[in-house]
Amino acid sequence: MEPIMSHSALNALEATGKTCPSLAPATALRRIYQVETGPSRAAGTRQGLWVAVFVYLLFAISDLILIPDVAQTAIFARFVVGAASLAILEVLFLAKAGARTVEATSAAAIVAGYLFWLLPAMQTEAVTSIRLYMIFGTIFMMGANLFFIFPFILSVITSVVVLAILLISMVAMFSNEPIYMMTFGLFYVSCFIFTSYVNWKLNEERYNVFLNALEAAHQHRESEKRGVALERLSNTDYLTGMENRRAVDRRLRDYWNDWQTEGKAFAAILVDVDFFKKYNDFYGHQAGDRCLILVASVLNETLKPLNASVGRYGGEEFIVLSRVTGRDQVMALGEIIRSAVEGLHLVHDQRRDGQAFVTVSVGASYTRPQSGPKLERIINEADRALYSAKANGRNCIRLFNPNDPLTSDDNENIAATLRMAIKNDLVHLVYQPIQNLKTGRVEAVESLMRMKMIDGTPLSPAQFIPVAERTGAILDLGLWAIRRACTEVLATGVAPMASVNVSAIQLKSRGFALAVSTILEETGVSGSQLAFEITEGIDMEGQSDVIRCITDLQALGIRIWLDDFGTGFAGLSWLRLFPFDTVKIDRSFLQDARRPAGRAMLEDIIRLIRNRGLKILIEGLETADHVELMHELGIELGQGYFLGRPVPIDEVRIKPFPRLASVGGR
Ligand code: C2E
Ligand code: CA
Ligand code: CA
């Protein structure tokens, strides 16, 4: 019996149409057993025959002693039969004969070995010897039944023939001795019965061992198959048959690792079915499922040839991962996806946005040097891009842009982060120089807030300030910023003056002016070194508490600057309401000033502010041309990337700006 069941046995079993051994027909199992144990039986038989022939030849010695008169012929017979049997056996092996042939040959050799020795031996004169010597015939019987592993039938036939030879020769030689005949005859017959019985038992045992091994191998194969099936099931989306989120997440990690280790770029593209809930509600869940299946299969068909992988990310959302790089390629792939789904022409007349078919919105992001070390970030970016695609009318593609509106999840994260931002050192200030364009001196710095998430992802103020204003976190953060600017810049004398942006929420909050005066006291900074930049974006008319607050701040010596002038709607009434110190003209006017109408507009605004006797600061000076224009217009104060970008405190170097030759005067 082979310890490990070969695959051929299991395959033969499966070929019977029954996968489980206990269900297969007995004859089929026997056949498998014969085939399966064949090689090992043949090898065992060959080995056995060599040993048997060796022992058989050794008996030549007893021939010489017991039957010396016929020993020559008897021994000759032994050698002829022995040599012939082994020769035939080896030829059979060379011819790759089956186990049955080898076994039958060996059985024949047993019979021949006995018969051809017995014939000459019977001629002996040593009657007493041969009477006892004949008993060795039972050894041949035992050989057939116990020594070799013959199938039961073959064993029985062989031993019956040996028994018959024994009995016939006994009758022929000793018919005149009834007692001898009876005792030895009985001995031969019982020998035959017992050894045949043991052979039968042994054969049954071997067969049972084989069946058990087959069963075990079958169980093993089944559990392996179940394992593979389970693995496949756990990675497959039950509805669409495509990879599910689990599988996609794993694939995403692989892509990400390749990007991190080998720099292989990739894009993550989220695809969301537009107005799917409406579709589901109106057409029913079955139709909804069918819709998802159709979208999934068109995505599969379209993306397979492009070597992109696609999976269901949840609900009506799919995700595509592809090794495309760069804006244009990603946009092109997004368009392929969008138009493929549109091309399905699946009717959806419940959407009320002018379209009558199922479409998808596509949000994409791709790896860039600033993607950072976190895998989640690229998905988060794609998610935000998708959100923006939805917000932009759906059925379109959006690439991630850092200034995209945030998703509600993002906003929640930001709100949570804001609560612990100060304590955890997640916020800091950067400073941008404000320059006197006539003297080249930096007169002040504007402090701008910076914040990062716990994982290090930087956020722009456009993202976190509105959240801080909505949640009220701006109150603490605003005071923190004022204190920080006072200690970092003013108390240390890094710059003569600092401006801090202040939200309307802060101005409306109770005790703001008092809190500011405490900060001034504690830091030993004079109020006249500080300016607050207030945006005109809110309607202030009738907000008496704000007006009172501003008056209190001015009493502390703090300058109030009007920020982003020209972008809000209440600019002029603001100018009327407050004695501002400086007005910051929004950089959009500077951009428009290239056209004559734009320039005329800018000149009008400048004239208007000057007429009110206020100082003017223009933001967003990005080029030498811009600075030149400032000189032409006689503007004194400027701020912008050309003059200096916002930098952290230890990079603030205030050195005089060289006076430009063509300084225009007013
Ligand atoms: P803002 O007060 O108008 O600040 C100027 C913005 O323009 C800054 O963006 C600055 O980095 C950017 N900038 C400066 N020079 C140039 C230039 O030459 N070209 C261009 N294109 N941009 C320039 P930032 O830092 O992203 O701030 C955005 C806005 O966030 C600020 O606009 C302000 O409204 C708000 N903000 C920033 N820090 C604070 C703060 O501490 N408190 C409050 N309440 N708001 C803040
Ligand atoms: Ca500002
Ligand atoms: Ca501004």
Side-chain angles (χ1 to χ4, degrees), residues 446 501 533 535 563-565 584-587 619 639:
E446 178 180 6
N501 293 284
E533 298 191 11
T535 312
D563 202 356
D564 302 338
F565 183 76
K584 292 182 83 166
I585 296 180
D586 192 71
R587 63 168 173 273
E619 306 184 277
Q639 182 184 355

Side-chain angles (χ1 to χ4, degrees), residues 70 188 248 250 317 334 407 429 440 449 457 585 628 655-656 664:
V70 293
Y188 295 148
V248 169
R250 185 178 315 152
E317 195 167 308
T407 65
L429 293 182
M449 207 181 287
T457 313
I585 296 180
E628 187 55 43
K655 52 174 193 285

Side-chain angles (χ1 to χ4, degrees), residues 429 432 446-450 461-462 465 469 474 481 501-503 506 533 535 563-564 587 619-622 640-642 646:
L429 293 182
Q432 187 177 29
E446 178 180 6
S447 52
L448 295 158
M449 207 181 287
R450 294 290 175 263
I465 296 285
E469 287 177 338
I474 194 69
N501 293 284
V502 170
S503 285
Q506 292 172 273
E533 298 191 11
T535 312
D563 202 356
D564 302 338
R587 63 168 173 273
E619 306 184 277
L621 302 179
E622 291 181 348
Y641 292 164
F642 184 72

Side-chain angles (χ1 to χ4, degrees), residues 403 430 448-451 458-468 501:
N403 298 322
V430 290
L448 295 158
M449 207 181 287
R450 294 290 175 263
M451 182 176 138
L459 291 174
S460 79
Q463 292 168 330
F464 69 83
I465 296 285
V467 182
N501 293 284

Side-chain angles (χ1 to χ4, degrees), residues 106-121:
S106 301
I110 289 172
V111 173
Y114 184 47
L115 187 64
F116 291 113
W117 169 81
L118 187 63
L119 289 176

